[in-house]
Amino acid sequence: LEPKNLPVVVHPHGGPWSRDEWGYDPEVQFLANRGYAVLQMDFRGGTGYGKKFYEAGFKQWGKKMQDDITDGVEWLKKEGVADPKRIAIYGASYGGNAVLFGVTLTPDIYAAGVADVGASNMFTFIRTLGPEWGPYIKQFYEMVGDPNDPKDSIMLTEISPLFHVDKIKAPLFISCGANDPRVNRAESDQMVAALKKRGVVVEYMVKDNEGHGFSNQDNQFDFYSTMEKFLNKHVKNKK
């Protein structure tokens, strides 16, 4: 049978200064086993494709980097692989950001989103980066945006999903670790509060014994089983 009209999970990688590679990926295998087509894409800003490709992502969070993801989704729809009404987006860390960017910038594309340890307010996210970042803070300002620069502040406001919750239609499953040193728990707390205030369907999972990503096996089981039920309800079995 040709893969046509399938439920899809778009799965942008974290980093964002990393890349997806050919090989076994347990998350992709998990989702494929549950009947989803999975789209991974190496959007601009990633590593391994040369300096020009890498630098093309500078100050493009929520902008051209997100356009690359959207282009991939549109290609799947054009090829007939994706059922346009059953497309979800799931990611962690920068991938979690991409989920929140996706449901605010392109709210009509996604039937649901799963955002793990994703930042919602670029100002609070950048200002709470820990001391371990040290000299890399300045580099982060140059590559992502400087909250103290008036011009960058306009851009950071545009790409902060928290300020655009009025555009969100898709139900969301948001998760985080209470002790995350990279993406503070407040990033998820404030997003969930704003979504609930607007009446958007949102499930929220916080694990007190976790940091940036779930490493405890029991928490992993809980997360993936919850995600499976969430995606089945809002995507796979969507009428």
Side-chain angles (χ1 to χ4, degrees):
L1 288 175
E2 271 197 277
K4 296 290 182 183
N5 213 39
L6 300 173
V8 172
V9 176
V10 180
H11 187 32
H13 64 71
W17 307 296
S18 61
R19 64 183 291 191
D20 280 317
E21 297 177 333
W22 181 259
Y24 180 82
D25 184 319
E27 287 191 318
V28 173
Q29 185 63 36
F30 165 72
L31 291 166
N33 178 266
R34 275 23 179 210
Y36 297 93
V38 181
L39 173 66
Q40 294 174 288
M41 74 301 296
D42 281 324
F43 43 83
R44 74 190 70 194
T47 53
Y49 296 98
K51 184 178 179 182
K52 188 176 179 181
F53 187 85
Y54 171 65
E55 291 183 343
F58 286 14
K59 294 190 177 179
Q60 292 301 324
W61 284 36
K63 291 183 174 292
K64 289 182 180 177
M65 289 166 69
Q66 195 69 28
D67 291 344
D68 292 341
I69 296 170
T70 304
D71 287 348
V73 179
E74 293 298 338
W75 177 80
L76 273 187
K77 288 160 64 174
K78 184 181 175 183
E79 292 293 307
V81 174
D83 179 345
K85 295 181 180 179
R86 294 190 296 163
I87 300 172
I89 182 168
Y90 156 59
S93 196
Y94 178 80
N97 272 68
V99 171
L100 299 179
F101 293 149
V103 296
T104 52
L105 291 166
T106 52
D108 296 322
I109 288 181
Y110 300 109
V114 179
D116 183 34
V117 296
S120 63
N121 180 334
M122 296 303 291
F123 294 94
T124 53
F125 164 57
I126 294 171
R127 285 174 176 150
T128 54
L129 289 172
E132 70 275 7
W133 279 77
Y136 294 107
I137 292 287
K138 187 177 179 183
Q139 184 179 350
F140 201 86
Y141 285 173
E142 292 175 1
M143 295 171 69
V144 181
D146 181 351
N148 306 304
D149 178 273
K151 188 178 178 182
D152 280 3
S153 290
I154 294 171
M155 180 264 292
L156 293 173
T157 300
E158 289 174 352
I159 66 167
S160 292
L162 182 66
F163 304 145
H164 306 286
V165 287
D166 58 307
K167 297 183 178 75
I168 297 175
K169 303 175 183 178
L172 285 165
F173 171 33
I174 292 175
S175 56
C176 71
N179 303 309
D180 192 335
R182 194 174 304 171
V183 180
N184 193 284
R185 173 184 172 169
E187 292 301 311
S188 297
D189 284 347
Q190 58 190 345
M191 190 67 181
V192 170
L195 289 166
K196 285 183 175 178
K197 192 174 180 181
R198 282 210 64 248
V200 177
V201 174
V202 58
E203 293 187 33
Y204 191 25
M205 178 180 290
V206 183
K207 295 299 184 182
D208 292 333
N209 60 341
E210 295 286 9
H212 194 63
F214 295 168
S215 56
N216 179 285
Q217 197 172 64
D218 289 338
N219 292 339
Q220 290 176 350
F221 287 149
D222 192 16
F223 171 76
Y224 288 113
S225 63
T226 301
M227 179 168 74
E228 179 181 5
K229 290 171 188 170
F230 176 83
L231 291 175
N232 283 349
K233 179 179 180 181
H234 298 291
V235 183
K236 189 177 180 182
N237 301 323
K238 186 178 180 182
K239 301 298 184 186

